[in-house]
Amino acid sequence: MNTQAIKNLRQIPLKGKRVFLRLDLNLPLHDDGSISDDTRLRAALPTLNYLSEQGATVAIASHLGRPKGRDPKQSLKPVATRLAEVIKRPVAFVDDCVGDAVTRKVAALGQGEFVVLENTRFHPQEEKNDPAFSAKLAAGYDVYINDAFGTLHRAHASTAGMAAHFSSRGMGLLVEQELKALSPLLQQPKTPFVMILGGAKVSDKLGIVRNLLPRVQRLLIGGGMAFTFLKANGIEIGASLCDDSKLGTVREVIAEAARLKVQLVLPVDFRIPTADGKAKVVETLKPGDKGLDIGPRSAKLFCEALQGAATLFWNGPLGLFEQEPFMAGTLEVARAVADCKGHTVIGGGDTLAAFTQLGLADRLTHASTGGGATLELLEGRDLPGLAALL
Ligand code: ADP
Ligand code: MG
């Protein structure tokens, strides 16, 4: 897909225009409904500030969670309140995303002002990408801007369907920045290109392995997904995570890596839980042992293998980092990545959470705000949210 052909904000006249702005304000909430992390909201600020400076009138739309119809627990109202706090200005809210009340609210806004619309997923037509609903969403605006990077892989009404109703449409500054950081991984990456993959499910990551294997020089695999690779190599993995249905595909990947002379680095030691809730390092797993992190020898191997990387991409923690005893492997490798001088990019919600928790996120070239969208882009797939802007 030729994303160069998509307009960005700066190429679109905005003064006095009514703008429909799709953001990804699907913020994680605590059990009591309060916001636990507003990173995605902060990532939208450059676009919001720019629109305001340019004198646009802005209606902000997003989904939140997976509501089945209207659900006050998944309202965007607290997000509107948080936005007002962050930008230190009033932000209006309207309890729907379509209809007369919205039209009236938008008409009443002054230049540079914002209204947050209610959760688009309160309407089941949103996820069905229903054409009549798309038309309703689009009614009354002059410009459509999509800056919801994290939902570009969804073909929903507010992320894709409604774009066709606008001749004036484009991407926001976050999407532009994400594409700028991620496209070098797909197009002529500087070598050596090192890819680190982890996380729980090997099936989530095979698409990206396939697409990037011909471009990388070194592939480091940790986390739960490593055990399917180890088992494919005939190594005892005990009771560790494994997807037996993918053993055949993984064997093909291992053979392909060898054919392409990609250096494949797999863990050689592990941390397993002990009876008193701590971690113990082992070199071999016995039946019943559960590898929940890579061990120190493996971390050292990984750190050595990423030395001198000109391009580096990492998705998926190397262990069960949510539990302190199993964070060490991710921590050690994250430090080496933070020190790396090349183009360093991470993606994935948990990976970003781990880097943020370790205070290392701002030592990277780019921390992608997308999970599924980042992976699908790097799998070489067309993202519906981008295709709709062409
Ligand atoms: P991301 O959100 O960055 O894309 P994933 O969702 O793919 O990452 O994987 C993150 C999850 O994988 C985390 O919940 C982490 O605890 C889990 N995980 C990593 N290593 C292991 C392991 N060895 N055993 C079980 N779970 C693991
Ligand atoms: Mg995840």
Side-chain angles (χ1 to χ4, degrees):
M1 184 173 27
N2 179 17
T3 54
Q4 308 280 350
I6 300 172
K7 281 203 180 116
N8 68 46
L9 268 190
R10 285 179 294 269
Q11 297 166 306
I12 296 174
L14 295 165
K15 183 156 181 69
K17 303 287 186 202
R18 282 163 305 188
V19 175
F20 184 101
L21 174 64
R22 179 54 158 99
L23 295 177
D24 180 4
L25 297 180
N26 180 28
L27 307 186
L29 305 178
H30 292 297
D31 289 340
D32 68 358
S34 60
I35 295 165
S36 67
D37 178 1
D38 63 5
T39 308
R40 285 183 182 141
L41 187 147
R42 290 174 191 276
L45 292 179
T47 287
L48 286 168
N49 289 333
Y50 184 82
L51 285 167
S52 182
E53 282 156 24
Q54 294 294 309
T57 293
V58 188
I60 301 166
S62 177
H63 75 284
L64 181 79
R66 298 172 187 274
K68 306 248 173 302
R70 267 190 180 271
D71 174 0
K73 285 207 201 78
Q74 304 188 63
S75 169
L76 272 163
K77 187 146 195 218
V79 176
T81 307
R82 175 64 63 93
L83 175 61
E85 286 162 16
V86 170
I87 62 173
K88 301 187 183 70
R89 282 199 284 143
V91 171
F93 177 77
V94 54
D95 68 354
D96 207 342
C97 60
V98 290
D100 292 341
V102 174
T103 315
R104 271 184 269 118
K105 258 289 190 326
V106 173
L109 285 184
Q111 290 190 4
E113 291 183 349
F114 303 131
V115 57
V116 172
L117 310 182
E118 186 53 289
N119 194 341
T120 51
R121 287 196 188 164
F122 282 4
H123 295 267
Q125 300 97 310
E126 157 76 340
E127 290 183 78
K128 294 191 182 106
N129 199 7
D130 178 81
F133 183 65
S134 288
K136 277 196 206 167
L137 275 172
Y141 302 97
D142 309 303
V143 179
Y144 172 77
I145 300 291
N146 193 344
D147 207 22
F149 181 76
T151 37
L152 287 181
H153 60 313
R154 308 276 184 219
H156 294 168
S158 70
T159 59
M162 67 182 290
H165 293 273
F166 296 86
S167 55
S168 193
R169 60 185 185 223
M171 59 176 143
L173 301 175
L174 173 67
V175 169
E176 188 188 12
Q177 182 199 7
E178 290 272 6
L179 293 179
K180 214 166 127 195
L182 293 167
S183 1
L185 308 183
L186 292 166
Q187 294 149 13
Q188 283 128 28
K190 288 211 178 90
T191 58
F193 180 0
V194 178
M195 178 155 69
I196 309 175
L197 292 177
K201 279 164 74 184
V202 70
S203 55
D204 290 350
K205 316 286 159 113
L206 288 171
I208 191 167
V209 171
R210 292 214 150 171
N211 195 41
L212 292 185
L213 200 56
R215 297 179 175 79
V216 302
Q217 281 67 49
R218 304 172 206 154
L219 173 60
L220 287 42
I221 298 185
M225 68 177 284
F227 297 104
T228 308
F229 279 75
L230 292 167
K231 186 167 177 180
N233 280 344
I235 292 166
E236 170 65 53
I237 59 161
S240 309
L241 278 185
C242 184
D243 185 348
D244 285 323
S245 74
K246 293 286 178 264
L247 278 170
T249 318
V250 163
R251 279 195 194 97
E252 283 166 31
V253 168
I254 293 172
E256 182 68 0
R259 196 180 67 77
L260 294 167
K261 301 197 168 51
V262 173
Q263 184 191 345
L264 177 62
V265 183
L266 296 173
V268 293
D269 61 348
F270 312 92
R271 286 189 172 85
I272 62 171
T274 56
D276 58 353
K278 296 205 177 91
K280 174 171 102 178
V281 174
V282 297
E283 306 257 318
T284 49
L285 294 162
K286 292 198 237 1
D289 284 351
K290 217 171 179 171
L292 294 182
D293 193 10
I294 61 168
R297 269 212 314 135
S298 312
K300 192 155 172 275
L301 274 184
F302 279 38
C303 292
E304 281 163 10
L306 67 83
Q307 287 307 313
T311 309
L312 184 143
F313 177 71
W314 183 351
N315 168 256
L318 304 179
L320 191 80
F321 77 101
E322 298 93 331
Q323 295 181 19
E324 211 270 324
F326 305 107
M327 171 157 235
T330 303
L331 170 64
E332 216 164 302
V333 178
R335 282 197 185 121
V337 170
D339 287 337
C340 178
K341 301 273 179 287
H343 181 82
T344 51
V345 180
I346 63 159
D350 293 295
T351 311
L352 179 54
F355 267 81
T356 306
Q357 197 181 323
L358 299 170
L360 295 170
D362 50 11
R363 305 230 349 242
L364 302 158
T365 307
H366 182 69
S368 180
T369 55
T374 309
L375 289 184
E376 288 198 21
L377 189 77
L378 295 178
E379 282 166 16
R381 293 209 252 167
D382 282 352
L383 302 182
L386 283 181
L389 296 175
L390 279 170

